[in-house]
Amino acid sequence: MKYLPALLFTFSFIFSQNNYPKTDFQLPLDIPMQLSGNFGELRPNHFHAGFDFKTNQKEGLNVYAVADGYVSRIKISTSGYGKAIYITHTNGYTTVYGHLQKAVGIIQDKIIELQYAEKSYEIETYFKPNELVVKKGEIIAISGNTGGSEGPHLNFEIRDNVTEHILNPLFFGLDLKDSKKPIVTNLLVYPIDTNSVVNQSRRPVALSLSLQPDGTYISEKVMAAGRIGFGINSFDYDDVSYNQNGNYKTELFSNGTSVFDIEFDEMDFDEGRFVNAFIDYERYKKMHQRVQ
């Protein structure tokens, strides 16, 4: 048996070093930015793919094109993003606006025309660059609560036109105030193989945590043999939203050496559905705790 020293867990909020444009995009709403969900957040059966902007708990706010471009795709569905508009921009990115109540102007006219032509509420259509041109700051839609939404808000995403990867909107100069450190609600230690033992148990063991004045945590000591691993259940607050959002980066150190880390910079669509492999799914089914 060996004793592990008290574990000190820290979290960081570090922005990617890629040269994303910081001034090209304005906010899609004309109210202060408040989030009810952030990029990479753990959701049932998927990682969240963008920002959920609060809309003052109501529908009907103006939604603006964040930069010049053209409407490249419209999808109307009773599930998922509900009424959604995709705008492709000249800087190499596409922005997505989901859960809309309705579009406005020529975009709404086009939606009605397509629905009548296809005799269907649900439609999905792609457009050429010269068909539905929009300017930065132009009102393109009204915020709503359509599709798989559980309350009025705007789902907003940024995607790379070449790779089609979904990118963290924070890299694009959106001003989110966050001076608060994440909160860890659970820390577990896991026996990795059949020969591993943790505190005389072959099952995962929950550890007691002590919050320090600097916002870090120290756990109780662990007596272990064999290969072990760790899991956490945690969330983050920003300065204005008061929602339990996901962490941007989590990193595990062993004797000062980084042995594992995950950063939510970008993701492929196929990766979004792997959330149940990322968490302790058995524990989630029993206790509804998403332990990473």
Side-chain angles (χ1 to χ4, degrees):
M1 293 289 183
K2 62 181 178 181
Y3 286 92
L4 298 183
L7 299 168
L8 184 65
F9 283 79
T10 61
F11 299 82
S12 57
F13 202 97
I14 307 171
F15 294 111
S16 170
Q17 300 303 309
N18 291 349
N19 292 320
Y20 296 110
K22 301 296 191 295
T23 59
D24 287 6
F25 294 148
Q26 69 167 62
L27 289 173
L29 300 170
D30 55 9
I31 59 174
M33 183 172 72
Q34 290 187 300
L35 300 184
S36 59
N38 64 353
F39 185 81
E41 197 167 86
L42 309 184
R43 297 287 181 87
N45 295 318
H46 69 282
F47 295 103
H48 192 238
F51 278 178
D52 282 344
F53 285 105
K54 290 186 176 184
T55 56
N56 293 336
Q57 299 181 329
K58 64 183 180 181
E59 301 182 42
L61 300 186
N62 291 335
V63 177
Y64 300 89
V66 299
D68 292 352
Y70 70 97
V71 176
S72 54
R73 179 184 178 192
I74 292 174
K75 184 174 182 180
I76 310 294
S77 174
T78 55
S79 60
Y81 293 166
K83 296 181 179 180
I85 294 173
Y86 299 68
I87 298 178
T88 296
H89 306 282
T90 56
N91 61 2
Y93 301 96
T94 292
T95 51
V96 184
Y97 313 75
H99 305 304
L100 303 170
Q101 182 189 93
K102 63 178 182 179
V104 299
I106 61 173
I107 304 174
Q108 179 66 8
D109 293 341
K110 177 60 69 173
I111 290 173
I112 294 174
E113 175 188 328
L114 292 168
Q115 287 175 325
Y116 273 101
E118 298 184 24
K119 298 180 180 179
S120 172
Y121 172 80
E122 294 195 343
I123 59 171
E124 182 175 14
T125 304
Y126 295 82
F127 300 92
K128 297 178 181 178
N130 60 347
E131 291 187 80
L132 294 173
V133 176
V134 296
K135 292 294 184 180
K136 182 176 183 177
E138 179 180 341
I139 300 173
I140 59 168
I142 303 298
S143 69
N145 186 32
T146 56
S149 173
E150 296 181 354
H153 73 282
L154 174 69
N155 182 86
F156 177 75
E157 299 176 11
I158 300 178
R159 303 178 181 181
D160 187 287
N161 291 347
V162 176
T163 65
E164 297 187 352
H165 285 183
I166 315 162
L167 306 173
N168 193 327
L170 280 176
F171 299 151
F172 293 83
L174 302 183
D175 188 21
L176 177 65
K177 306 298 184 184
D178 182 6
S179 62
K180 299 178 181 179
K181 295 194 174 183
I183 294 173
V184 180
T185 55
N186 299 99
L187 171 64
L188 285 85
V189 57
Y190 288 82
I192 297 299
D193 52 40
T194 56
N195 297 320
S196 301
V197 178
V198 176
N199 289 358
Q200 301 181 340
S201 173
R202 296 186 184 275
R203 295 178 177 274
V205 175
L207 302 176
S208 298
L209 291 172
S210 175
L211 177 62
Q212 305 302 296
D214 65 355
T216 61
Y217 295 81
I218 295 178
S219 81
E220 63 179 296
K221 291 183 178 180
V222 179
M223 185 174 67
R227 297 178 64 234
I228 62 172
F230 293 91
I232 61 165
N233 186 13
S234 62
F235 60 88
D236 191 19
Y237 289 118
D238 62 47
D239 292 353
V240 295
S241 299
Y242 308 108
N243 285 83
Q244 294 183 3
N245 296 322
N247 298 318
Y248 166 67
K249 177 179 179 179
T250 305
E251 188 167 9
L252 175 65
F253 293 85
S254 175
N255 294 326
T257 301
S258 177
V259 295
F260 173 85
D261 75 274
I262 182 168
E263 295 184 27
F264 288 104
D265 292 335
E266 63 180 272
M267 63 180 166
D268 186 272
F269 280 101
D270 290 339
E271 294 173 332
R273 60 188 178 88
F274 293 143
V275 65
N276 291 331
F278 176 68
I279 64 173
D280 181 346
Y281 188 68
E282 182 179 356
R283 188 177 185 88
Y284 172 68
K285 292 296 288 184
K286 290 180 179 179
M287 305 178 65
H288 298 286
Q289 292 179 352
R290 292 190 180 93
V291 176
Q292 304 179 47

